Amino acid sequence: MNNPTICAIATAPGGAIGIIRISGSEALTIADRIFRPVGSNVPLADRKPYTLAFGNIVNAENEVVDEVLVSIFHAPHSYTGENSVEISCHGSAYILQQVMFLLTQNGCIPAGPGEFTQRAFLNGKMDLSQAEAVADLISATNKATHDMALSQLKGHFSNELSDLRAHLLKLTSLLELELDFSDHEELEFANRSELYTLACDIHQRLASLVRSFEVGNALKNGIPVAIVGKTNVGKSTLLNHLLHEEKAIVSDVHGTTRDFIEDTTIINGIQFRFVDTAGIRSTDDVVENIGIERTYQKLQEAKIVLWLIDQQPTEAEMEDIKERVADKKLIIVRNKIDKSTAHSTFNIQHSTFTTVDISAKYGTNIPVLEQLIVEAADIPQLSESDIVITSARHYSALLLADESLQRVIDSMNLGLSGDLLAENLRIVIDHLAEITGEERITPQETLQNIFTHFCIGK
């Protein structure tokens, strides 16, 4: 590829060390123009790859800008697959900008957002799903999201898709081979029983990947937890304890929270997205009523609901909350145990609901509540080899692929012709190719597969 050589500052401002990355066919040559090694005059292009060179960056007047270490990578054995250089400077914003200025003066152009990873993809160093994992790894906020992104970056998801694609391509090749011999109706290269079994197996694997999106999306964006209850029961105080900061205004005035307040925190390595909602009560205040409507909306979006109470709920209130959280995990949080012993007389009729007594004001039993929240999240223990879908784009493509494969299975059950089966199998392969960025299946690839695996005319 005839791309210009690019450069960019690769580290966040304010650190002790700043790194500038250069990539392109002229990376080593351009770096040599501004780098003066100490103790050796060997050009960077003639040095061994994966080595460091110590020296100075100098300007056009031969003045030293900074003492640096230069890392050397030769194509194709670099992140981008191109000749690459990394210059480690002191983290001064002035120094970094001066080095960038010198590089652009000598032939580099500033890189666009994500251009280094884009080049890695275009040069075959990673597929599209792995490229997306780079951004996920950078933005990971907890162990779970880190492990999922690292697994995808290492190619576990790509390998699974590659295996599925190979099986599907074999099926398609067999079916298309039958079409080439359509004048011999008695010929059947694709055993329908084996074909059906394999299609059902792949369907199960695709369905499993689709189902994993619920867990992956929750871990990546935070498991939604709604804090609901009447006005002045301590919802905002509880939110502040869970977030470990004064996020919400706390007041004895009823209806202080008129809109939802949302923020995330990490508990036991899992990210939760807590929402403090407007207190539920009958009121003529138009603005407060809008907030209450939003409370019900957030309650529907939540996976876990904390129902905060400070007195015995009525049967009508119990039935109402039970109906609203039928498909969610409900934790009944009995607050203000510092004020009264009346909690001992509470009679919660529905044993399927978890209950806990706390004092939001003094933080009593907050760790117990946090543990209950983690248990309610019901997140499986993930290993590095587990494949969990976190991208909505991947989820959509897998869903479409699975639907097409289901049509293949249905077509076989109805005894439909091989050309319809082959067409739907091609659609499945195309949807999987969208995830990794591979080219769609071509007739040449099908032919190659046929002649690789089958001996015709022997």
Side-chain angles (χ1 to χ4, degrees), residues 55-234:
N56 298 312
I57 297 294
V58 297
N59 60 22
E61 288 72 37
N62 214 31
E63 297 171 337
V64 174
V65 175
D66 194 18
E67 287 186 343
V68 300
L69 282 174
V70 174
S71 307
I72 303 161
F73 306 90
H74 291 179
H77 306 294
S78 70
Y79 178 76
T80 60
E82 303 171 330
N83 286 338
S84 297
V85 173
E86 292 185 359
I87 303 174
S88 298
C89 317
H90 291 94
S92 158
Y94 171 77
I95 290 174
L96 291 169
Q97 291 300 330
Q98 285 297 302
V99 177
M100 283 290 294
F101 174 72
L102 292 172
L103 288 172
T104 55
Q105 268 196 326
N106 283 275
C108 279
I109 66 168
E115 190 170 354
F116 285 88
T117 303
Q118 182 183 33
R119 290 194 176 194
F121 165 67
L122 294 173
N123 291 326
K125 300 297 290 185
M126 60 180 69
D127 64 31
L128 196 55
S129 69
Q130 290 173 296
E132 290 171 302
V134 173
D136 288 343
L137 190 62
I138 292 170
S139 62
T141 57
N142 55 71
K143 185 178 186 301
T145 52
H146 167 270
D147 290 349
M148 289 188 299
L150 193 60
S151 173
Q152 187 171 319
L153 182 60
K154 287 183 176 181
H156 295 151
F157 181 36
S158 301
N159 292 339
E160 174 73 359
L161 294 180
S162 178
D163 185 55
L164 292 176
R165 189 179 189 277
H167 282 94
L168 291 165
L169 180 58
K170 183 177 180 180
L171 296 179
T172 306
S173 301
L174 284 167
L175 289 168
E176 299 213 358
L177 189 60
E178 285 183 8
L179 298 177
D180 289 339
F181 290 88
S182 58
D183 53 333
H184 298 277
E185 295 182 1
E186 72 282 0
L187 288 177
E188 188 178 87
F189 292 98
N191 182 287
R192 291 301 186 268
S193 177
E194 294 179 6
L195 180 60
Y196 185 83
T197 300
L198 187 55
C200 288
D201 176 61
I202 295 175
H203 168 63
Q204 292 298 322
R205 290 165 70 179
L206 286 176
S208 176
L209 290 173
V210 168
R211 287 193 300 271
S212 74
F213 178 68
E214 181 180 356
V215 172
N217 187 53
L219 288 174
K220 183 177 179 179
N221 298 309
I223 298 169
V225 182
I227 306 173
V228 301
K230 294 181 178 179
T231 59
N232 212 29
V233 293

Side-chain angles (χ1 to χ4, degrees), residues 215 219 223-225 242 266-272 274 303-306 328-332 352-356 365-381:
V215 172
L219 288 174
I223 298 169
V225 182
L242 292 170
I266 306 296
I267 304 176
N268 288 8
I270 301 172
Q271 181 169 261
F272 291 89
F274 288 100
K303 179 177 180 179
I304 302 170
V305 176
L306 307 183
K328 307 176 188 305
K329 298 291 182 68
L330 175 66
I331 301 175
I332 300 176
T352 56
F353 299 156
T354 303
T355 63
V356 60
N365 282 347
I366 296 298
V368 176
L369 173 59
E370 289 178 333
Q371 185 57 39
L372 291 174
I373 293 170
V374 171
E375 292 172 5
D378 194 26
I379 298 299
Q381 194 71 28

Side-chain angles (χ1 to χ4, degrees), residues 327-342:
D327 59 341
K328 307 176 188 305
K329 298 291 182 68
L330 175 66
I331 301 175
I332 300 176
V333 184
R334 303 186 293 194
N335 191 24
K336 302 183 181 179
I337 60 172
D338 54 288
K339 284 192 173 182
S340 170
T341 58

Side-chain angles (χ1 to χ4, degrees), residues 236-237 240 246-251 256-257 261 276:
S236 296
T237 304
N240 290 339
E246 297 298 314
K247 184 74 175 183
I249 298 173
V250 176
S251 169
T256 301
T257 303
I261 301 171
D276 175 25

